[in-house]
Amino acid sequence: MREFLEALGVDLTARGMERTPARVAQMYAFLFNGMGRSTEDIWGETFTTGSDGLVAVRHIPFYSMCEHHLVPFFGTVDIAYIPRHGRVAGFSKFTTLVERLAHQPQLQERLTAQIARAVEHDLQAVGVLVKVEALQLCMTMRGDMAPGTRTVTSEATGVCREDHALYQQAWLALGGEK
């Protein structure tokens, strides 16, 4: 980090800048602490509810770093899933899942698919629908400079992908329009 900042011409001897390389390195270590980590240990104890109805967790905030420019993108994640034999996880576990997968150099499309696959695999869900809406700072700070533009990605698995009526039900549960 020191070499990078010096190459940009930043005076690291200026007051307040002496520890900047170490602070930035610590920040990136935190922002990328999801790299190489599995999601299976997140869920803890799961519960059988006796219901196979749709479960939705909406408006999970996240931030991540675009792998192309190492600039943040952030927004919300909505997850709907159909449990297998009523097996569900605590709602807070979904925020942990999103954070872990977002804490690595990432693409929004990949993040969306990884969340869907993790819920399907780790909880053995019958079907999953994930929607991610984000503000990409690379679109705001460089290139076309399109402030306020939001991107939406979705990923469906299992019966949410195969059964149009279940897909529509899940989409509506996530706040989508019919």
Side-chain angles (χ1 to χ4, degrees):
M1 189 50 61
R2 177 172 296 284
E3 290 174 14
F4 171 75
L5 293 170
E6 287 172 345
L8 291 175
V10 175
D11 179 6
L12 296 176
T13 62
R15 183 173 177 199
M17 295 295 294
E18 303 90 346
R19 293 204 13 83
T20 296
R23 284 191 297 267
V24 173
Q26 287 175 324
M27 177 194 69
Y28 275 97
F30 174 74
L31 293 175
F32 297 153
N33 68 11
M35 291 176 52
R37 296 180 65 193
S38 169
T39 58
E40 293 175 349
D41 66 322
I42 289 172
W43 305 102
E45 183 180 3
T46 58
F47 310 93
T48 302
T49 63
S51 169
D52 291 329
L54 184 74
V55 177
V57 183
R58 297 180 52 198
H59 306 297
I60 301 169
F62 82 95
Y63 58 87
S64 190
M65 299 294 278
C66 167
E67 72 179 33
H68 294 147
H69 305 102
L70 292 184
V71 175
F73 67 98
F74 57 93
T76 58
V77 174
D78 298 326
I79 302 169
Y81 73 103
I82 299 173
R84 183 178 307 276
H85 307 301
R87 181 175 175 236
V88 299
F91 294 131
S92 68
K93 305 304 183 188
F94 293 90
T95 60
T96 304
L97 171 69
V98 169
E99 180 178 338
R100 181 167 299 172
L101 292 173
H103 277 215
Q104 55 190 294
Q106 195 53 281
L107 296 174
Q108 182 175 335
E109 299 87 344
R110 182 186 314 121
L111 175 62
T112 307
Q114 286 176 335
I115 294 167
R117 283 195 302 272
V119 173
E120 181 181 46
H121 176 266
D122 298 350
L123 295 179
Q124 288 125 31
V126 175
V128 181
L129 177 62
V130 174
K131 180 180 88 169
V132 176
E133 184 171 340
L135 180 70
Q136 306 276 340
L137 287 189
C138 60
M139 291 179 66
T140 301
M141 298 171 66
R142 56 168 302 283
D144 292 338
M145 295 194 174
T149 302
R150 303 197 53 90
T151 55
V152 178
T153 52
S154 67
E155 184 79 20
T157 70
V159 296
C160 288
R161 182 183 195 114
E162 299 158 6
D163 184 319
H164 182 71
L166 283 174
Y167 176 84
Q168 288 295 329
Q169 180 186 2
W171 191 253
L172 289 170
L174 297 185
E177 294 185 30
K178 192 169 185 177

